[in-house]
């Protein structure tokens, strides 16, 4: 019994229980249910606990005798909270033991905490200045992004429980959340069912009521007779008498109540952090340091937008006086996030466009008309509109910074090709960067095909050959005044091939370079880069995009994406870019027929795929995970690949693709599929973009309820790219009402932008808002779906930046300091 507790058992128990909380007590945290898991864990957790009180209270929990699966949600929630509280006590006991046991050969430190408390801390001081937050606890807070007092002030509740409805005991109603202030008459440890707990009788001038806490006998010692107590919770009935079961409680002292009798904040938690502790620490931080926050919003903006002062907003967001003030507080803090986001994006754009002059191109209309006349199709109205917007930018003496949105097959590549030709006609080089080798090769092939149709003298040069057997450098005449040379630069080229290409680029013997990340390697030097195009830009980080731009002297920049993003959100996330949208598909483009199937009809889907492959077609099968997980019940690509290969399609050739594979192996699998060496590609979401296989006409998506509508639409865009009909089959993991609603939208709606709007309503902005990749600050409170506040913040930021840019750029001003803090160095000031 003298051994230390096994960390793995305690941590395993805690992780599973916290996952069960996140799953709303649905008994789905582990396969087989919680009862089975707890029976297996009880002995492991008990091993090594040498604290008699903790041992007794654990025995009273009765993990091995639980009947969790038969309980209602309220009872499940109370029981799990009790176990988590016990785990917290175990960890507190360990911390005390560590702190009171001096290191060998050193005397224990005395009085240090008192000395620290007298220091007036700055907001950037570590949270360990708060009494009770040990270094170990600070490590747990760090997982939530909280390291300093400033972070803790901005560590806001997810929601509130309304315990503000105070009533007399005689007025209490069953089934409602209510609060009483009463006097303790009696408190004792009792047996409740087959376990020990605490029973307390409290009363006020209108009557008495029984209060019980299951599995928490240690609480009895906290409740002195005649002490005043606040009780908040739901009243139930037991044998005809009203009773509070495991409510929140708080002894009435001189301090303000924080757990009861008010709107009680519910904070995000992680392993080892518990609600009462976190509320106590955030309250201390708010009371002691919220007043130190410096107001950074100009007073006229606060007045015009009717916003609270910053310190008041922080205080009321944590511990609001009422619902109305809570909303006002969160409105102010949400406005701050959107306002600072827009200011930073405007600073980025100005720095790019005005920090140094751009290259104004002459637009050769004769060249454009001649080139378009050779193509076997006519530009759609949307393409013509977008081309005009791009050409207008290219004529300006400041660098273009434009986002081009358009669905798969909408014709973005031809716009990029025309822009690259204009750059070449002006004596500049152009570069197009794609996230994968396969996508770069596809662009190379497509652009070469366009140039070949318009060229009177196609001159493929005799250069080293790549894996498709095509030259990686080609030359076309009769388009510009001199032959135009296009090259493909990818990682799989040999070192000698790369070196030769590097030399040609350096000597300006290449006009257009298409490639992957290989374009931004140090060895690649453009003497005259005038236009940089980035495809599927969300796949690149902000530093990679910047690295390509820095290969030239402030070149024009065109970034493209096939991911439909609602216009308002695009204006927010990409506020440093002008926006163009190709919202029209070319005439005759086949629309993939979409059908969702109940899981039990999976066999019909397999039969359909079998028939299509026998007709000479290919298929995708998508899974939501790479490997099976004990916790998350989802189909896994690796398991599915093995089963499909052996049991379902043994006569066909299958390939496996997932994100953990080495890049070269992924490229090889995608090439084999494109070259028809594979019949079926089993994959995770890595095929969302970057592979064009016209012969593939079926895509089956397993666990379709786990993907967003926009992502499902991206998958659907992988098929139906040829003239023949494409098919998209969706099989959810569970046929819940929510899943059915979303998958029915996939059947009805083919417009990616409409689907994106629906996705935004159903799932929120998370899927679109990749802050790590974009280099944008995180939105913790604001919602991009709040159109009114978003537009107000945009207008105020634009007006301030236009009329008083110095106030924004002064890093020593409150606004400038706040902007620098929020953007964390991701703004370059001109």
């Amino acid at each position: 019994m003298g051994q230390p507790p096994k960390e793995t058992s305690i941590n395993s128990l805690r992780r599973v229980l916290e996952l069960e909380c996140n799953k709303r007590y649905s008994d789905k945290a582990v396969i087989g249910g919680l009862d089975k898991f707890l029976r297996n864990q009880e002995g492991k957790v008990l091993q090594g606990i040498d604290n008699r009180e903790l041992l007794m209270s654990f025995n009273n929990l009765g993990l091995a005798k639980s009947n969790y699966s038969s309980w209602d949600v309220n009872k499940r929630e109370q029981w799990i909270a009790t176990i988590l509280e016990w785990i917290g006590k175990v960890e507190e006991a360990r911390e005390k033991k560590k702190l009171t046991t001096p290191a060998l050969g050193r005397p224990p430190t005395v009085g240090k905490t008192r000395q620290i408390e007298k220091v007036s801390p700055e907001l950037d001081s570590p949270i360990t200045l708060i009494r009770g937050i040990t270094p170990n606890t600070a490590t747990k807070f760090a997982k939530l992004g909280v390291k300093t007092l400033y972070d803790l002030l901005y560590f806001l509740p997810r929601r509130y429980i309304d315990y503000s409805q105070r009533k007399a005991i005689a007025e209490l109603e069953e089934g409602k959340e209510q609060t009483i202030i009463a006097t303790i008459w009696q408190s004792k440890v009792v047996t409740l069912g087959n376990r020990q707990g605490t029973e307390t009788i409290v009363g006020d001038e209108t009557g008495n009521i029984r209060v019980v806490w299951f599995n928490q006998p240690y609480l009895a010692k906290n409740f002195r007779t005649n002490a005043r107590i606040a009780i908040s919770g739901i009243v139930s009935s037991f044998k005809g008498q009203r009773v509070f079961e495991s409510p929140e409680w708080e002894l009435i002292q001189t301090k303000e109540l924080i757990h009861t009798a008010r709107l009680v904040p519910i904070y995000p938690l992680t392993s080892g952090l518990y609600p009462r502790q976190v509320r106590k620490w955030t309250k201390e931080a708010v009371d002691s340091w919220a007043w130190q926050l410096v107001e950074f919003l100009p007073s006229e903006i606060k007045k015009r937008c009717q916003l609270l002062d910053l310190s008041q907003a922080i205080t009321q967001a944590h511990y609001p006086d009422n619902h109305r003030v809570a909303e006002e507080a969160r409105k102010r803090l949400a406005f701050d996030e959107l306002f600072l986001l827009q200011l930073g994006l405007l600073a980025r754009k100005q720095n790019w466009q005005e920090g140094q002059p751009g290259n104004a191109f002459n637009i050769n209309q004769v060249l454009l008309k001649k080139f378009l006349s050779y193509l076997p199709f006519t530009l759609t109205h949307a393409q013509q509109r977008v081309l005009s917007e791009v050409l207008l930018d290219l004529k300006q003496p400041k660098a273009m910074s434009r986002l081009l949105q358009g669905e798969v097959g909408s014709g973005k590549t031809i716009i990029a090709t025309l822009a690259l030709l204009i750059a070449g006609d002006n004596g500049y080089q152009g570069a197009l960067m794609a996230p994968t080798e396969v996508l770069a090769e596809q662009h190379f092939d497509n652009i070469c095909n366009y140039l070949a149709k318009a060229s009177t003298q196609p001159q493929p040069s005799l250069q080293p050959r790549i894996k498709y057997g095509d030259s990686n450098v080609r030359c076309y005449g009769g388009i510009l005044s001199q032959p135009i040379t296009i090259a493909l630069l990818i990682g799989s080229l040999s070192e000698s091939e790369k070196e030769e290409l590097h030399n040609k680029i350096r000597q300006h013997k290449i006009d257009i370079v298409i490639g992957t990340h290989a374009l931004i390697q140090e060895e690649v030097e453009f003497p005259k880069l005038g236009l940089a195009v980035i495809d599927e830009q969300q796949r690149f980080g902000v530093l990679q995009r910047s690295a390509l731009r820095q290969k030239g002297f402030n070149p024009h920049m065109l970034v493209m994406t096939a991911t439909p993003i609602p216009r308002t959100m695009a204006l927010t996330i990409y506020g440093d870019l002008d926006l163009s949208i190709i919202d029209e598909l070319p005439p005759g483009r086949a629309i993939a027929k979409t059908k969702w199937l109940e899981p039990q009809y999976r066999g019909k889907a397999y039969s359909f795929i079998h028939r299509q492959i026998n007709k000479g077609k290919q298929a995708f099968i998508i899974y939501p995970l790479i490997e099976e997980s004990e916790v998350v019940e989802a189909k896994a690509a690796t398991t599915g690949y093995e089963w499909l290969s052996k049991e379902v399609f043994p006569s066909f050739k299958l390939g496996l693709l997932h994100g953990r594979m080495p890049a070269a192996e992924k490229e090889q699998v995608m090439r084999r599929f494109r070259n028809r060496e594979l019949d079926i590609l089993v994959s995770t979401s890595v095929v969302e973009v970057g592979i064009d296989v016209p012969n593939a006409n079926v895509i089956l998506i397993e666990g379709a309820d786990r993907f967003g509508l926009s992502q499902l639409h991206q998958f659907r865009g992988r098929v139906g790219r040829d003239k023949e009909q494409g098919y998209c089959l969706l099989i959810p993991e569970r046929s819940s009402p929510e899943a059915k609603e979303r998958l029915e939208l996939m059947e009805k709606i083919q417009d990616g932008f409409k689907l994106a709007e629906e996705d935004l309503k159903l799932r929120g902005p998370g899927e679109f808002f990749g802050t790590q990749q974009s280099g944008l600050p995180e939105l913790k409170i604001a919602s991009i779906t709040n159109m009114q506040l978003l537009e107000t913040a945009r207008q105020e930021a634009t007006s301030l930046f236009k009329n008083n840019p110095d106030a924004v750029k002064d890093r020593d001003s409150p606004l400038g300091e706040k902007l620098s803090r929020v953007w964390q160095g991701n703004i370059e000031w001109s």
Side-chain angles (χ1 to χ4, degrees):
M1 294 291 288
Q3 298 174 352
K6 288 192 175 181
E7 289 285 339
T8 52
S9 300
I10 290 284
N11 289 342
S12 175
L13 176 62
R14 181 178 53 218
R15 281 196 301 271
V16 168
L17 293 179
E18 288 171 348
L19 180 61
E20 178 66 11
C21 295
N22 292 336
K23 288 183 173 289
R24 302 180 182 274
Y25 311 98
S26 59
D27 201 15
K28 294 176 181 175
V30 286
I31 295 174
L34 205 57
D35 290 322
K36 180 181 178 181
F37 173 79
L38 294 175
R39 281 195 292 273
N40 293 332
Q41 285 292 108
E42 185 180 50
K44 299 175 185 177
V45 174
L46 271 174
Q47 192 174 6
I49 296 178
D50 55 5
N51 182 301
R52 185 172 180 275
E53 184 178 345
L54 288 174
L55 189 61
M56 287 182 61
S57 58
F58 180 81
N59 289 335
N60 290 329
L61 295 177
L63 263 64
K65 300 177 183 177
S66 69
N67 197 14
Y68 186 85
S69 60
S70 66
W71 295 342
D72 61 26
V73 171
N74 287 335
K75 189 169 181 180
R76 291 178 178 184
E77 182 177 2
Q78 292 168 3
W79 191 58
I80 287 179
T82 302
I83 301 173
L84 289 174
E85 187 169 348
W86 178 85
I87 292 174
K89 289 181 178 294
V90 171
E91 294 186 336
E92 285 178 14
R94 291 178 189 163
E95 285 299 319
K96 284 182 181 178
K97 195 168 185 179
K98 289 179 186 176
L99 293 172
T100 56
T101 304
L104 289 174
R106 298 178 187 173
T109 304
V110 179
K112 207 149 193 173
T113 305
R114 300 294 296 175
Q115 188 178 358
I116 290 175
E117 286 172 6
K118 293 179 182 177
V119 177
S120 178
E122 298 296 324
L123 292 178
D124 285 327
S125 300
I127 58 174
T128 48
L129 287 182
I130 295 177
R131 185 185 303 181
I133 300 184
T134 64
N136 185 40
T137 305
T139 301
K140 294 166 184 172
F141 266 112
K143 294 178 182 178
L144 299 170
V146 177
K147 298 179 181 178
T148 66
L149 296 175
Y150 177 92
D151 297 334
L152 192 56
L153 290 175
Y154 274 89
F155 180 62
L156 300 176
R158 291 183 291 111
R159 61 186 179 89
Y160 309 95
I161 297 178
D162 189 353
Y163 287 152
S164 63
Q165 303 304 310
R166 180 180 170 184
K167 289 194 172 184
I169 290 176
E171 300 172 340
L172 291 173
E173 300 176 62
E174 291 181 24
K176 294 184 179 180
E177 289 179 339
Q178 298 150 101
T179 293
I180 61 170
I181 305 293
T183 301
I184 298 173
W185 300 134
Q186 176 187 334
S187 187
K188 60 183 178 179
V189 176
V190 296
T191 299
L192 299 169
N194 57 354
R195 303 168 196 159
Q196 285 194 315
T198 295
E199 178 185 82
T200 301
I201 306 299
V202 302
D204 63 12
E205 61 275 11
T206 69
N208 298 336
I209 192 169
R210 180 171 172 250
V211 187
V212 295
W213 287 270
F214 296 97
N215 310 317
Q216 300 178 67
Y218 50 85
L219 288 183
K221 64 183 180 183
N222 294 305
F223 303 142
R224 293 182 296 103
T225 301
N226 293 326
R228 298 280 287 166
I229 189 171
I231 301 286
S232 292
I234 297 177
V235 177
S236 58
S237 177
F238 180 73
K239 294 184 177 179
Q241 294 186 329
R242 291 171 302 167
V243 60
F244 276 107
E245 293 186 357
S246 298
E248 285 285 354
W249 60 273
E250 206 163 359
L251 294 173
I252 305 294
Q253 299 170 349
T254 55
K255 65 179 181 179
E256 180 184 358
L257 296 175
I258 61 175
H259 306 298
T260 57
R262 64 173 310 130
L263 289 181
V264 176
I266 304 298
Y267 292 94
L269 299 174
T270 190
S271 299
L273 292 181
Y274 302 98
R276 291 178 74 93
Q277 292 175 323
V278 173
R279 283 198 287 267
K280 173 190 168 190
W281 292 325
T282 55
K283 190 65 169 68
E284 184 172 341
V286 167
D287 290 346
S288 301
W289 295 295
W291 61 272
Q292 289 192 24
L293 288 167
V294 178
E295 181 59 74
F296 61 89
L297 275 186
S299 56
E300 60 271 19
I301 292 180
K302 280 198 303 176
K303 184 176 181 181
R304 193 160 48 240
C305 300
Q306 298 180 321
L307 300 172
L308 297 179
D309 291 336
L310 179 59
S311 59
Q312 183 187 10
I314 286 289
T315 300
Q316 291 294 324
H318 282 282
Y319 292 94
D321 294 336
N322 52 55
H323 286 289
R324 182 188 62 78
V325 178
E327 286 301 313
E328 288 296 312
R330 297 182 80 86
K331 173 189 172 184
R332 160 63 204 263
L333 299 175
F335 176 89
D336 288 354
E337 289 185 340
L338 296 171
F339 179 75
L340 293 167
L341 173 65
Q342 292 303 305
L343 279 183
L345 290 169
L346 290 168
R348 266 189 185 180
K349 185 173 183 178
Q350 186 193 62
N351 179 64
W352 184 352
Q353 294 189 330
E354 298 180 12
Q356 48 187 327
N359 307 302
F361 289 170
N362 174 55
I363 307 302
N364 187 336
Q365 295 292 343
V366 174
L367 163 68
L368 293 176
K369 290 179 181 177
K370 179 181 175 183
F371 181 82
L372 290 172
S373 69
Y374 282 109
L375 297 180
F377 55 82
T378 303
L379 296 187
T380 63
H381 293 300
Q383 285 176 307
Q384 292 173 13
R385 182 188 71 246
V386 169
L387 179 59
S388 297
E389 293 167 350
V390 170
L391 295 178
L392 184 61
D393 281 353
L394 294 177
K395 289 196 296 185
Q396 306 304 317
K398 60 182 181 180
M400 172 175 69
S401 52
R402 184 166 291 277
L403 171 67
L404 172 53
Q405 279 186 267
E407 293 198 42
V408 172
S410 62
K412 298 185 297 298
T413 304
I414 190 62
I415 302 297
T417 304
L418 291 165
L420 290 166
L421 279 178
I422 293 296
D425 188 55
N426 281 265
Y428 286 89
Q429 293 169 292
L432 189 158
M433 185 166 71
T436 67
E437 290 194 5
V438 169
L439 188 54
E441 289 168 346
Q442 288 168 188
H443 280 307
F444 181 70
D445 286 345
N446 290 336
I447 293 176
C448 284
N449 287 336
Y450 293 147
L451 295 176
K453 287 181 174 67
S455 175
T456 57
Q457 310 165 44
Q459 302 168 9
S461 59
L462 300 175
Q463 296 296 327
R465 303 170 74 79
I466 60 170
K467 294 179 181 178
Y468 283 146
D470 298 325
S471 169
N472 65 323
V473 178
R474 302 186 201 173
C475 184
Y476 300 90
I479 302 173
L480 306 183
S481 57
Q482 59 185 20
I484 185 168
T485 305
I486 180 171
L488 177 67
L489 178 58
I490 54 179
S492 61
L493 294 176
S494 69
E495 290 304 315
S496 60
E497 289 173 324
K498 289 179 191 173
E499 186 176 351
E500 186 168 354
L501 265 187
H502 293 163
N503 289 332
K504 287 181 179 292
I505 294 169
R506 192 180 301 115
Q507 296 165 17
H508 200 163
K509 292 182 178 178
I510 305 291
D511 300 295
I512 299 172
V513 187
I514 298 173
T516 55
H517 298 76
L519 286 175
I520 57 176
Q521 299 305 310
E522 188 176 345
E523 300 81 9
V524 180
E525 298 177 19
F526 291 88
K528 206 172 182 184
L529 181 64
L531 171 65
V533 182
I534 296 178
D535 192 29
E536 294 303 340
Q537 65 84 33
Q538 74 279 6
R539 296 301 173 105
F540 294 101
V542 64
L543 296 178
Q544 293 165 320
R545 298 198 294 271
S546 177
L548 181 59
R549 179 164 59 90
Q550 291 171 8
K551 290 289 183 181
F553 180 76
N554 210 25
H556 294 289
M557 179 77 81
L558 178 66
V559 297
M560 306 191 299
T561 180
T563 302
I565 304 172
R567 183 179 181 84
T568 305
M569 183 182 293
L571 289 171
T572 300
I573 300 175
Y574 304 112
D576 54 343
L577 302 172
D578 297 310
L579 180 63
S580 291
I581 300 176
I582 301 179
D583 51 6
E584 172 184 10
L585 289 176
R589 169 75 192 269
I591 294 174
K593 293 182 179 179
T594 305
K595 180 70 177 175
W596 81 270
L597 304 169
E598 297 277 4
Q600 62 265 32
Y601 297 123
R602 185 176 283 109
K604 290 186 176 181
Y606 292 155
S607 297
F608 181 77
I609 292 173
H610 208 284
R611 291 195 298 273
Q612 293 298 313
I613 294 175
N614 283 336
K615 292 179 182 179
K617 296 300 178 182
Q618 293 165 277
F620 295 92
I621 298 180
I622 308 299
Y623 286 94
L625 291 176
I626 296 172
E627 296 170 347
E628 293 280 1
S629 165
E630 288 185 6
V631 175
V632 183
E633 298 174 5
K635 294 287 182 181
T638 50
T639 307
Y641 169 75
E642 295 293 336
W643 183 70
L644 291 170
S645 301
K646 296 175 183 176
E647 304 295 334
V648 184
F649 302 110
S651 59
F652 296 144
K653 294 179 181 178
L654 279 68
L656 175 64
L657 185 68
H658 60 72
R660 290 186 192 167
M661 294 167 62
E665 192 176 337
K666 281 192 285 188
E667 300 286 354
Q668 182 183 19
V669 171
M670 286 193 283
R671 262 194 208 96
R672 290 185 65 207
F673 189 57
R674 188 181 179 193
N675 290 344
R676 302 193 185 186
E677 296 172 25
L678 299 173
D679 300 306
I680 299 173
L681 183 62
V682 179
S683 175
T684 57
S685 60
V686 293
V687 300
E688 182 184 346
V689 296
I691 184 168
D692 182 5
V693 184
N695 190 55
N697 74 328
V698 187
I699 185 165
L700 167 63
I701 304 171
E702 290 277 6
D705 51 325
R706 290 186 170 270
F707 298 106
L709 294 178
S710 290
Q711 198 171 13
L712 290 174
H713 184 66
Q714 287 287 293
F715 291 140
R716 179 165 59 185
R718 298 300 104 207
V719 297
R721 301 170 71 89
D722 204 355
K723 293 181 180 179
E724 293 195 33
Q725 181 65 56
Y727 303 92
C728 177
L729 306 175
L730 307 169
I731 300 181
E733 201 172 296
R734 294 186 182 87
S735 301
S736 65
E738 295 82 6
K740 290 179 180 179
E741 178 187 2
R742 295 174 60 250
L743 298 182
E744 284 171 359
L745 287 172
M746 283 295 298
E747 290 183 339
K748 296 174 186 175
I749 301 175
Q750 289 285 340
D751 185 318
F753 291 98
K754 289 182 180 178
L755 278 174
E757 294 283 358
E758 294 295 334
D759 223 10
L760 189 58
K761 295 175 188 175
L762 293 170
R763 288 163 62 94
E767 185 173 336
F768 307 99
F769 202 87
T771 55
Q772 290 183 344
Q773 281 293 303
S774 64
L776 303 181
E778 182 183 359
L779 296 185
K780 296 179 180 178
I781 307 167
S783 170
I784 298 180
T785 57
N786 187 339
M787 306 302 296
Q788 185 176 356
L789 189 64
L790 171 59
E791 192 55 40
T792 301
R794 278 175 48 77
Q795 290 173 358
E796 293 292 349
T798 303
S799 175
L800 180 65
F801 199 86
K802 179 180 178 181
N803 299 323
N804 192 5
D806 292 338
V808 180
K809 295 183 179 183
D810 180 5
R811 297 196 191 192
D812 295 326
S813 71
L815 178 57
E817 188 278 331
K818 181 73 172 182
L819 196 59
S820 296
R821 180 189 288 271
V822 167
W823 276 83
Q824 297 180 354
N826 283 319
I827 304 177
E828 299 173 7
W829 302 95
S830 58

